[in-house]
């Protein structure tokens, strides 16, 4: 072992996962630099291992504020696209919403590359947050009819869609960096502190979502701008030719303005904590390119020799540390590849379930503009139940199971399988409710659009089930992708986890287009009646339930073969 490596390990005990490996000069340089940068901060952490680092109290409010903005957009986005930008067909509006969501979960790859390779996580978060704020400003201005000098419902699509694109780049880019930056604040001796952080972190996401998904639709449901009605024309007559019911309101610009202000405040809080952050330096070059080269070298050696020999030969040319990081990353990819199916199914709670809610009866003499309206209801209960379920699972259910049966029995992979099974149950129940809704409509009314006598409160049951599924699947997956890879690939792996959600959103859009959009377009064009279409929402929900259950079966067999990093020796291939 070289003197440089000994010094690096003494200065950076945080890197015990690379101990006893043949490290490259770059890896040693980065370890030493990290240790020097964080020398005082690490001393404080080692002196107080049972306390959460001060830094997390700047990171968690930032995540709360950013998610407040994101989840303030999503509940009103479908109707904004439908009523203000002219995506009149329900499936088209849902499809555009899914494309936006997909972009938000594809762009984390950009943020991970920047933070791991060129900038550190702090600088990346600040830079891409600025793009996020710019997108919110563009969306706010270009959705404001009086500022743009046009009547409401006659807005150009260019400005708002450009704003949404900038938001997708910003929110997606910072997403893997914030969670990984939070994990970087802990030393290896703070295992339980790290677990507590991820639970607080996920709760912050959903507290922000809980508040904004209530407030944002309430603002948007107010009518601030006049509609371009002809003399004697009412809203029903104006929107009927478009195949639409009258909207709840047009206060979208005021909602977007509120979210812009919140995001600016969230960024200010994050920047204010810069003096207390642990900073992990970037590689200074495109790190994924190094892993690709290592993977190609290993694959070439593997074709010519046994696994152990290929491992040693590749370590001789690319260092053992790089080989192990590459293999760990490949193992994780192999463990999470079914995840897009879960996210494809889960994403329907703000699309197809919202459409079903529009058919249902709002209780207590209220209407769709109230707290129990579909826009608010469908985006309130998911974060509400997460705030309830997440601490119960983390503080009571998991510890009891671990203590009684051992940590291996119900680990992170097993929890992900459980989440997928529960999600499939949620969509079985939703399909049955949709059938009930359609059967309760008056004779002669069209399925999927008629007004039923079923109370919208039944959707609360759906949100309880799907949220329980999310707690098992999503929190476990986020934790899994952080602890199962090497230090230098944590942001990249977090981005890959988020990428599974983006793929799921695009799959959802494709499913909607393939199964529902054509029939709905034919109905809108007067070529068919709803009673004549061959595919309806109930069929779509049954299909989603089947897909999710199939994914759970695949995930189960993966979990049986996967050995967690903590339970295998460093040389295990």
């Amino acid at each position: 072992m070289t003197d440089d490596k000994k010094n690096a390990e003494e200065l950076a005990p945080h890197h015990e996962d690379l101990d006893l490996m043949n490290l490259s000069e770059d890896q040693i340089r980065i370890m030493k630099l990290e240790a020097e940068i964080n020398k005082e901060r690490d001393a404080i952490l080692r002196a107080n291992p049972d306390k959460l680092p001060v830094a997390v109290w700047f990171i968690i409010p930032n995540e709360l504020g950013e998610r407040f903005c994101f989840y303030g957009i999503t509940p009103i986005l479908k109707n904004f696209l439908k009523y203000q930008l002219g995506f009149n067909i329900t499936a088209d509006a849902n499809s555009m919403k899914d494309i936006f969501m997909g972009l938000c979960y594809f762009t984390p790859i950009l943020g991970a590359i920047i933070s791991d390779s060129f900038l550190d996580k702090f600088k990346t978060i600040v830079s891409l947050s600025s793009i996020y704020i710019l997108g919110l400003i563009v969306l706010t201005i270009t959705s404001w009819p009086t500022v743009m000098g046009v009547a409401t419902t006659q807005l150009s699509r260019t400005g708002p869609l450009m704003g949404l694109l900038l938001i997708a780049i910003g929110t997606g880019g910072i997403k893997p960096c914030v969670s990984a930056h939070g994990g970087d604040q802990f030393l290896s001796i703070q295992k339980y502190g790290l677990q507590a952080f991820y639970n607080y972190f996920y709760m912050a996401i959903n507290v922000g979502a809980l508040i904004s998904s209530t407030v944002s639709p309430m603002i948007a449901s107010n009518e601030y701008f006049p509609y371009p009605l002809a003399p004697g024309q009412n809203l029903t007559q104006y929107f009927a030719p478009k195949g639409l019911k009258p909207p709840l309101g047009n206060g979208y610009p005021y909602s977007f303005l509120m979210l812009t202000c919140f995001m600016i405040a969230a960024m200010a809080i994050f920047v204010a904590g810069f003096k207390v952050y642990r900073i992990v330096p970037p590689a200074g070059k495109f790190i994924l390119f190094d892993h690709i080269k290592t993977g190609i070298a290993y694959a070439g050696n593997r074709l010519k020799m046994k696994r152990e020999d290929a491992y040693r030969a590749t370590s001789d040319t690319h260092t053992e540390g790089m080989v192990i990081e590459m293999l760990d990353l490949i193992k994780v990819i192999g463990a999470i590849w079914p995840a897009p199916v879960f996210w494809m199914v889960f994403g329907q709670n703000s699309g197809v379930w919202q459409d079903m809610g529009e058919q249902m009866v709002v209780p207590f003499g209220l209407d769709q503009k109230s707290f129990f309206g579909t826009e608010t209801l469908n985006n309130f209960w998911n974060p509400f139940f997460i705030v309830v379920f997440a601490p119960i699972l983390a503080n009571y259910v998991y510890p009891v199971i671990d203590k009684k049966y051992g940590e291996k029995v119900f680990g992170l992979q097993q929890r992900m399988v459980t989440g997928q099974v529960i999600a499939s149950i949620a969509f079985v129940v939703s399909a049955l409710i949709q059938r009930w809704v359609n059967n309760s409509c008056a004779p002669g009314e069209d399925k999927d659009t008629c007004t039923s006598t079923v109370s919208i409160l039944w959707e609360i049951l759906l949100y309880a089930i799907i949220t329980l599924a999310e707690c098992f699947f999503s929190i476990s997956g986020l934790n899994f992708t952080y602890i199962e890879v090497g230090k230098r690939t944590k942001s990249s792996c977090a981005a890959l986890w988020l990428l599974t959600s983006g793929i799921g959103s695009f799959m959802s859009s494709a499913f909607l287009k393939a199964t529902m959009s054509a029939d709905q377009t034919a109905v809108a064009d007067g070529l068919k009646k709803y009673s004549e279409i061959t595919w309806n929402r109930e069929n779509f929900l049954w299909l989603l339930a089947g897909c999710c259950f199939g994914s759970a079966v695949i995930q189960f067999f993966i979990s049986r073969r996967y050995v967690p990093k903590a339970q295998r020796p460093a040389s295990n291939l």
Side-chain angles (χ1 to χ4, degrees):
M1 186 180 291
T2 66
D3 290 340
D4 278 345
K5 184 180 176 184
K6 287 181 180 178
N7 292 336
E9 289 177 347
E10 289 173 1
L11 291 170
H14 198 52
H15 288 270
E16 81 294 340
D17 58 337
L18 295 181
D19 284 352
L20 306 180
M21 295 178 194
N22 174 28
L23 301 180
S24 69
E25 292 183 1
D26 278 344
Q27 289 171 312
I28 294 172
R29 174 185 58 81
I30 292 171
M31 288 171 63
K32 292 177 68 176
L33 180 59
E34 178 183 349
E36 290 291 347
I37 291 173
N38 301 301
K39 187 174 182 179
E40 294 182 5
R41 178 55 44 193
D42 288 353
I44 295 173
L45 295 176
R46 283 192 290 269
N48 302 277
D50 297 328
K51 293 184 178 180
L52 288 177
V54 175
V56 304
W57 304 118
F58 292 92
I59 296 171
I60 289 175
N62 170 260
E63 182 68 5
L64 186 152
E66 189 279 323
R67 292 289 89 183
F68 179 95
C69 296
F70 182 77
Y71 287 107
I73 292 174
T74 51
I76 64 175
L77 182 57
K78 186 196 76 171
N79 281 342
F80 173 71
L81 292 166
K82 186 163 66 172
Y83 289 104
Q84 305 301 112
L85 299 190
F87 292 95
N88 296 336
I89 305 303
T90 300
D92 286 348
N94 280 330
S95 180
M96 286 298 298
K97 176 187 69 67
D98 287 335
I99 290 173
F100 168 73
M101 297 290 287
L103 287 173
C104 289
Y105 289 102
F106 261 82
T107 51
I109 293 294
L110 171 65
I113 290 172
I114 294 173
S115 66
D116 283 347
S117 303
F118 304 110
L119 298 178
D120 58 52
K121 299 179 185 69
F122 173 77
K123 293 186 180 107
T124 302
I125 293 168
V126 172
S127 300
L128 291 176
S129 291
S130 300
I131 295 176
Y132 192 153
I133 291 171
L134 176 61
L136 284 166
I137 292 172
V138 170
L139 177 62
T140 300
I141 293 174
T142 58
S143 67
W144 210 295
T146 53
V147 172
M148 302 306 295
V150 297
T152 186
T153 74
Q154 295 178 2
L155 293 166
S156 168
R157 294 179 178 179
T158 304
L161 293 181
M162 179 59 68
L164 289 171
L165 176 61
L166 292 172
I167 291 169
I169 294 171
T171 186
I174 68 175
K175 188 63 179 164
C177 304
V178 176
S179 60
H181 183 56
D184 289 345
Q185 307 311 308
F186 294 83
L187 299 179
S188 59
I189 58 175
Q190 297 175 290
K191 175 184 176 181
Y192 290 104
L194 180 62
Q195 292 179 4
F197 163 74
Y198 274 115
N199 277 287
Y200 289 137
F201 184 83
Y202 210 80
M203 286 180 65
I205 292 173
N206 289 281
V207 168
L210 185 66
I211 299 171
S212 66
S213 61
T214 304
V215 176
S216 182
M218 289 175 64
I219 296 174
S221 65
N222 292 311
E223 188 174 320
Y224 293 99
F225 309 100
Y227 289 97
L229 303 178
Q233 188 181 39
N234 59 37
L235 283 180
T236 300
Q237 295 167 334
Y238 176 78
F239 283 100
K242 305 175 186 290
L244 300 175
K245 297 178 180 179
L248 301 179
N250 56 24
Y252 305 102
Y254 285 95
S255 288
F256 298 147
L257 177 61
M258 175 195 66
L259 301 176
T260 303
C261 295
F262 233 90
M263 185 58 199
I264 292 172
M267 181 177 173
I269 292 172
F270 180 76
V271 172
F274 76 98
K275 289 185 178 181
V276 297
Y277 293 140
R278 287 195 82 260
I279 299 297
V280 175
K285 56 184 178 180
F286 187 20
I287 189 172
L288 287 183
F289 184 63
D290 280 354
H291 283 92
I292 291 170
K293 289 194 299 182
T294 304
I296 292 172
Y298 176 79
N301 290 329
R302 185 69 181 86
L303 292 174
K304 299 180 290 185
M305 57 188 75
K306 294 180 180 179
R307 183 177 299 179
E308 292 80 3
D309 295 334
Y311 176 86
R312 286 193 292 270
T314 311
S315 297
D316 290 340
T317 56
H318 291 76
T319 77
E320 187 179 8
M322 182 64 75
V323 173
I324 287 187
E325 282 190 348
M326 179 270 298
L327 291 175
D328 284 344
L329 190 59
I330 289 174
K331 286 185 176 76
V332 169
I333 293 172
I336 66 173
W337 69 264
V341 177
F342 174 88
W343 293 119
M344 176 190 73
V345 173
F346 179 82
Q348 303 309 316
N349 63 47
S350 61
V352 175
W353 283 7
Q354 186 170 328
D355 294 335
M356 180 170 67
E358 292 176 355
Q359 292 184 261
M360 303 171 84
V361 175
V362 179
F364 314 121
L366 303 174
D367 58 22
Q368 289 285 0
K369 290 187 177 184
S370 69
F371 174 79
F372 291 100
T374 183
E375 283 189 351
T376 301
L377 185 76
N378 286 12
N379 292 277
F380 173 86
W381 290 104
N382 174 241
F384 172 82
F385 282 125
I386 283 181
V387 172
V388 173
F389 292 155
I392 293 175
L393 291 174
N395 297 320
Y396 300 101
V397 177
Y398 297 153
V400 168
I401 294 175
D402 290 349
K403 184 176 181 180
K404 188 171 183 179
Y405 301 104
E407 295 183 5
K408 297 181 182 180
V409 173
F410 199 56
L412 297 175
Q413 284 265 292
Q414 289 73 29
R415 296 170 196 175
M416 291 168 68
V417 174
T418 303
Q420 288 170 301
V421 172
I422 295 173
S424 67
I425 293 172
F427 277 82
V428 168
V429 176
S430 69
L432 294 173
I433 292 177
Q434 181 67 63
R435 179 183 299 178
W436 183 18
V437 166
N438 288 337
N439 290 340
S440 71
C441 295
E445 288 190 298
D446 294 325
K447 291 182 177 180
D448 298 346
T449 60
C450 60
T451 301
S452 78
T453 57
V454 179
S455 172
I456 198 172
L457 295 182
W458 281 101
E459 286 207 339
I460 297 176
L461 172 63
L462 299 181
Y463 278 90
I465 301 172
I466 198 66
T467 303
L468 185 61
E470 183 186 5
C471 288
F472 278 111
F473 185 83
S474 185
I475 298 177
S476 301
L478 184 65
N479 197 352
F480 176 82
T481 53
Y482 183 84
I483 66 176
E484 291 294 310
V485 294
K487 188 71 177 176
R488 298 193 305 163
T489 52
K490 297 213 181 275
S491 288
S492 297
C493 200
L496 287 174
W497 175 248
L498 295 169
L499 182 64
T500 64
S501 184
I503 295 171
S505 292
F506 285 124
M507 289 170 61
S508 175
S509 177
F511 260 59
L512 281 164
K513 283 287 187 181
T515 58
M516 298 182 73
S517 182
D519 277 335
Q520 289 193 2
T521 301
V523 171
D525 292 340
L527 301 178
K528 282 185 178 181
K529 296 181 179 179
Y530 259 102
S531 57
E532 298 174 341
I533 65 176
T534 57
W535 187 259
N536 57 40
R537 195 176 299 130
E538 181 189 340
N539 301 137
F540 186 65
L541 294 170
W542 282 114
L543 176 62
L544 292 172
C547 288
C548 199
F549 184 77
S551 177
V553 172
I554 295 172
Q555 192 79 58
F556 171 77
F557 285 108
I558 291 174
S559 69
R560 294 291 298 271
R561 294 179 58 85
Y562 186 87
V563 180
K565 185 177 180 180
Q567 298 173 18
R568 61 180 185 253
S571 60
N572 184 283
L573 302 182

